[in-house]
Amino acid sequence: MGAGTLISQAFGAKDLRLCAIYRNRQIFLSSILYLCLAFPMLFIRSIYSLIGQDPEIADYAATYVHIVLPSLYFFVISQSYAMFASNQRVTWISTCGTISGVSVHFVTTMILYELAELGFKAVPISTAIHFMVRFSVNYYFAEFGTQF
């Protein structure tokens, strides 16, 4: 993320307002980049067919991408919040987000695969939930934490 250096410099100057401004700019730029990259992913099945990928594999890949794609935006924004905190020497927020996301991913995959019998679809659904949990944790601590 490009704003890390700027956030660190603003933090060193004890200007927390400027840190937040740089974070918000990073979120804005990440949102634009996400939109630019997400649009071609809507046609991923056709892209895989054009490059000669096996149709069965292309179907699996397209299913995964189409399920995960909306939540991927929240992962991108989550990274902006984690970077915002870590550039101010608060690294535990990113750690909490990662641990909680991975834990939820593991549990939801087991539940969706074994109990709901969703098969392959359990993996992208769990990944989407993982990204949302990770965003929620990083956002909550970075936005409402007492250290900022």
Side-chain angles (χ1 to χ4, degrees):
M1 302 278 184
T5 303
L6 299 173
I7 291 173
S8 295
Q9 292 293 320
F11 179 71
K14 299 189 183 355
D15 190 351
L16 297 181
R17 181 180 171 279
L18 190 57
C19 290
I21 289 171
Y22 287 143
R23 180 203 59 214
N24 291 337
R25 287 180 182 170
Q26 180 63 50
I27 290 171
F28 177 74
L29 293 174
S30 295
S31 298
I32 291 172
L33 181 62
Y34 170 81
L35 291 174
C36 292
L37 295 175
F39 184 71
M41 292 299 121
L42 297 174
F43 307 103
I44 195 69
R45 175 67 175 96
S46 301
I47 293 170
Y48 279 133
S49 295
L50 287 174
I51 63 172
Q53 186 64 265
D54 179 37
E56 184 180 3
I57 301 299
D59 286 337
Y60 278 121
T63 300
Y64 184 89
V65 168
H66 290 148
I67 292 173
V68 171
L69 190 61
S71 66
L72 188 60
Y73 174 74
F74 291 98
F75 177 74
V76 170
I77 302 307
S78 171
Q79 293 303 104
S80 296
Y81 279 104
M83 181 255 332
F84 168 72
S86 67
N87 285 316
Q88 296 180 55
R89 298 185 190 147
V90 182
T91 57
W92 63 268
I93 292 175
S94 178
T95 303
C96 287
T98 301
I99 291 171
S100 61
V102 168
S103 301
V104 167
H105 190 276
F106 177 76
V107 171
T108 55
T109 301
M110 290 299 122
I111 290 171
L112 294 174
Y113 186 81
E114 294 292 332
L115 299 178
E117 297 180 0
L118 289 179
F120 170 76
K121 286 187 179 181
V123 176
I125 292 170
S126 296
T127 302
I129 294 169
H130 164 194
F131 288 163
M132 296 299 292
V133 167
R134 199 170 183 167
F135 166 76
S136 299
V137 170
N138 286 342
Y139 173 79
Y140 176 79
F141 285 122
E143 200 64 37
F144 302 110
T146 57
Q147 60 273 37
F148 303 112

